[in-house]
């Protein structure tokens, strides 16, 4: 999501110029509700996916699209969504985003096959890319006094961090006691309530000045990312050296290269290129990609292991994954204090290595492993490592960014996490299928669950490698110290 964090607001802010000031706490409640819906929608579907796969007859190689379609559409269109919200109107964008999200959720809830489910999830991502930046832009323009803004952003940040945990538990409850379809249908009343509350309460605001949209840049980045993801899925079917896989991957890279060319010459670029081309922000953005891949893509296979192999119910498996969220939250607080005292480099360098150790601990799983001795310790270590990375990574997104580009910079770190999730899910699916095939070929007659576990172990191994590569990049490139961090807090993540 786009976090429209602006420069520090002076004490003489003109609150009478803010049309939402008198109703600002009601506005906060509405924005918080929309934020919760967007955040929980990734984990809530992950918990329901084993049942959805069985109910709709989706193959193992294709089931990842239920996660990938949402993350890819969300991440690819997030920057444009922020621009639309600012130029077209934040309230209008919020209402359209909420209505569209509800419709897409309803279509997903009544899907009759995998293709319909995947299309609905992509639709959710499209409207989330409009809803999420509009919600935060409303929050940012509504709370202008420093102390009240700090309170509002604390609420917003708590929901961003806790939404994943809510999604795990709610998804487990709905799947176990109702039906997996309710993991999508539950969004309809939530979005409808947010729409009905916002319409009479929230006043319209919009940005002024140059309101031209960078449509060529939007098309190129969406095509490029989509081709990369699809190329990874084709590699599973035809091999990495196949014309299908290489063609789509090469096409995706070409589109992204064209995006850079267009952005260099655009008068109102979707993404000012000085933002990613920075020795401090580049490692943070790469860390965001890796963390998205692990959180959205890698832990999807943890859900499969808990439910398919260990036989946990959806609700119990959701509860079993909660220690990961708790550990992330605790470590993020520690990392924030470390960043203030010694700078962001230390926690950013150590965090990925700790998280990689947690993933390597997960490679010890077996068909009959104990959750308490094999899974739980790994989740705690993984969460601590990710938490050490996430807090300084968010703050680094704004180091050295011009005030007028703060929204684009904070949107970028969120977009890279979603794109990392989409690419990671597709890549890990290819690794999982290849590992299963290799194990079945070398172990004829092996128990099906043993074949499944072999695939999960390879996914966790490569996820650990991906995260570990971030640390030397941080050590080599990051130069920011504690005095470089922005004064107005961190970026909110989805």
């Amino acid at each position: 999501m786009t976090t429209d964090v602006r420069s520090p607001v002076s004490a003489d802010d003109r609150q009478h110029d803010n049309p939402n000031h008198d109703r600002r706490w009601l506005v906060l409640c509405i924005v918080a509700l929309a934020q919760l819906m967007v955040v929980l929608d990734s984990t809530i579907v992950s918990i329901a996916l084993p049942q959805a796969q069985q109910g709709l007859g989706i193959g193992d190689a294709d089931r990842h699209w239920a996660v990938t379609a949402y993350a890819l559409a969300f991440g690819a269109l997030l920057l444009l969504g922020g621009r639309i919200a600012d130029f077209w109107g934040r309230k209008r964008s919020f209402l359209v985003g909420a209505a569209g999200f509800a419709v897409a959720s309803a279509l997903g809830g009544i899907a009759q096959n995998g293709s319909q489910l995947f299309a609905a999830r992509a639709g959710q991502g499209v409207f989330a890319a409009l809803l999420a930046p509009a919600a935060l832009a409303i929050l940012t323009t509504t709370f202008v006094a420093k102390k009240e803004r700090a309170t509002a952003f604390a609420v917003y940040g708590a929901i961003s961090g806790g939404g994943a945990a809510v999604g795990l538990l709610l998804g487990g409850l709905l799947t176990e006691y109702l039906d997996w379809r309710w993991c999508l249908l539950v969004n309809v009343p939530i979005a409808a309530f947010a729409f009905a509350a916002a319409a009479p309460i929230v006043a319209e605001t919009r940005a002024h000045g140059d309101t031209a949209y960078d449509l060529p840049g939007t098309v190129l980045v969406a095509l490029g990312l989509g081709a990369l993801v699809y190329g990874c899925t084709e590699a599973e079917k035809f091999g990495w050296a196949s014309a299908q896989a290489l063609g789509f991957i090469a096409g995706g890279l070409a589109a992204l290269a064209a995006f850079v060319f267009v952005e260099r010459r655009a008068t109102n670029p979707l993404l000012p290129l000085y933002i990613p081309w920075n020795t401090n922000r580049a490692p943070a953005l790469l860390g965001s990609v890796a963390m998205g891949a692990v959180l959205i893509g890698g832990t999807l296979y943890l859900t499969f292991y808990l439910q398919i192999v260990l036989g946990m119910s959806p609700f119990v498996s959701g509860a079993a994954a909660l220690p990961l969220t708790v550990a992330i939250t605790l470590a993020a607080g520690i990392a924030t204090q470390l960043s203030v005292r010694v700078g962001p480099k230390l926690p950013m360098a150590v965090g990925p290595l700790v998280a990689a150790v947690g993933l390597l601990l997960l490679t010890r799983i077996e068909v009959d492993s104990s959750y308490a001795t094999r899974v739980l310790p790994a989740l705690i270590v993984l969460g601590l490592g990710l938490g050490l990375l996430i807090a300084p990574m968010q703050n680094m997104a704004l180091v050295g960014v011009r005030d007028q580009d703060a929204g684009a910079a904070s949107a970028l770190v969120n977009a890279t996490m979603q794109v990392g999730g989409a690419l990671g899910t597709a890549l890990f699916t290819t690794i999982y299928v290849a590992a299963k095939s290799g194990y079945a070929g070398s172990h004829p007659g092996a128990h099906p669950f043993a074949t499944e576990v072999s695939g999960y172990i390879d996914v966790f191994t490569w996820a650990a490698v991906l995260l570990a590569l971030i640390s030397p990049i941080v050590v080599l490139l990051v130069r920011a110290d504690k005095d470089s961090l922005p004064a107005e807090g961190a970026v909110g993540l989805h």
Side-chain angles (χ1 to χ4, degrees):
M1 135 76 237
T2 239
T3 6
D4 195 6
V5 180
R6 305 299 183 188
S7 57
V9 182
S10 62
D12 62 348
D13 288 317
R14 298 179 180 176
Q15 295 180 349
H16 63 274
D17 290 338
N18 174 10
N20 287 311
H21 179 260
D22 291 341
R23 294 167 289 188
R24 59 195 181 280
W25 300 112
L26 283 175
V27 170
L28 173 61
C29 293
I30 296 168
V31 167
L33 182 65
Q35 169 70 359
L36 177 62
M37 180 177 66
V38 171
V39 172
L40 65 80
D41 215 66
S42 56
T43 53
I44 197 173
V45 170
S46 296
I47 289 293
L49 191 51
Q51 283 69 28
Q53 178 186 3
Q54 184 178 14
L56 298 180
I58 302 172
D60 286 352
D62 295 324
R63 63 186 174 186
H64 73 91
W65 282 108
V67 175
T68 302
Y70 179 79
L72 181 60
F74 193 2
L77 298 175
L78 197 48
L79 287 168
L80 178 64
R83 295 286 192 184
I84 292 174
D86 282 340
F87 299 161
W88 192 47
R90 287 131 186 173
K91 175 181 177 179
R92 183 183 300 176
S93 300
F94 183 94
L95 295 177
V96 172
F101 199 91
V103 171
S105 299
L107 292 174
I110 63 173
Q112 299 302 303
N113 54 55
S115 297
Q116 292 177 7
L117 176 62
F118 304 153
R121 288 287 286 163
Q124 284 183 306
V126 170
F127 287 104
L130 183 62
L131 174 62
L136 191 57
I138 290 171
L139 185 69
T140 303
T141 55
T142 296
F143 289 89
V144 292
K146 276 189 175 181
K147 290 185 178 179
E148 290 188 348
R149 171 177 276 199
T151 301
F153 272 90
V155 173
Y156 182 88
I159 289 174
S160 296
V166 174
L168 291 171
L169 290 178
L170 183 59
L173 280 171
L174 293 173
T175 302
E176 186 166 348
Y177 296 109
L178 292 175
D179 187 81
W180 68 265
R181 295 179 181 276
W182 279 101
C183 292
L184 292 163
L185 295 174
V186 70
N187 292 317
V188 177
I190 297 175
F193 181 83
F195 184 101
I201 292 175
V202 178
E204 185 63 279
T205 60
R206 57 173 55 87
H208 302 286
D210 187 355
T211 59
Y213 295 111
D214 180 15
L215 295 180
T218 302
V219 172
L220 286 170
V221 74
L223 288 176
L225 294 172
L228 283 178
V229 170
Y230 194 74
C232 290
T233 63
E234 290 297 280
E236 177 272 317
K237 299 176 183 176
F238 303 105
W240 286 101
S242 66
Q244 292 91 333
L246 292 177
F248 277 104
I249 292 173
L253 293 175
L256 293 177
F259 169 74
V260 173
F261 179 83
V262 167
E263 296 306 281
R264 285 183 178 275
R265 288 155 180 78
T267 56
N268 192 23
L270 185 69
L271 176 64
L273 291 181
Y274 84 91
I275 295 176
W277 300 158
N278 178 278
T279 57
N280 288 311
R281 280 189 298 278
L285 295 173
L286 290 173
S288 179
V289 171
M291 191 160 63
V294 171
L295 277 177
I296 299 174
T299 56
L300 179 64
Y301 288 90
L302 172 66
T303 298
F304 295 149
Y305 175 69
L306 295 177
Q307 292 191 36
I308 295 173
V309 177
L310 296 188
M312 292 184 180
S313 69
F315 176 68
V316 173
S317 68
L322 280 180
L324 176 64
T325 303
V326 173
I328 290 174
T329 303
L330 292 175
I334 296 172
T336 299
Q337 297 302 317
L338 280 174
S339 297
V340 171
R341 293 178 181 177
V342 302
K345 186 171 184 174
L346 178 62
M348 281 185 68
V350 173
L353 294 178
V354 174
V357 170
L359 286 165
L360 291 177
L361 290 175
L362 276 177
T363 64
R364 303 182 306 148
I365 59 172
E366 298 173 350
V367 172
D368 55 354
S369 291
S370 164
Y371 168 81
T373 58
R374 291 294 175 92
V375 180
L376 179 58
L379 290 184
I380 293 173
V381 175
L382 173 61
L384 292 175
L386 292 178
L388 288 175
L389 173 63
I390 191 172
M393 180 190 76
Q394 293 176 52
N395 273 315
M396 288 293 291
L398 294 177
V399 171
V401 176
R402 296 190 296 260
D403 288 346
Q404 64 266 32
D405 294 326
S410 50
L412 181 60
V413 74
N414 292 285
T416 50
M417 178 173 286
Q418 294 295 331
V419 169
L423 288 170
T425 304
L427 179 63
F428 293 149
T429 296
T430 301
I431 292 170
Y432 159 79
V433 173
K436 277 184 60 177
S437 177
Y439 186 89
S442 60
H443 298 79
H447 193 285
F449 283 173
T451 305
E452 285 288 322
V453 169
S454 70
Y456 305 154
I457 288 174
D458 267 31
V459 167
F460 298 144
T461 300
W462 282 103
V465 172
L466 180 63
L467 272 175
L469 291 174
I470 301 300
S471 289
I473 296 174
V474 169
V475 171
L476 291 173
L477 296 182
V478 171
R479 295 291 180 266
D481 57 22
K482 61 182 180 180
D483 297 324
S484 303
L485 297 180
E488 282 281 326
V491 183
L493 290 179
H494 306 305

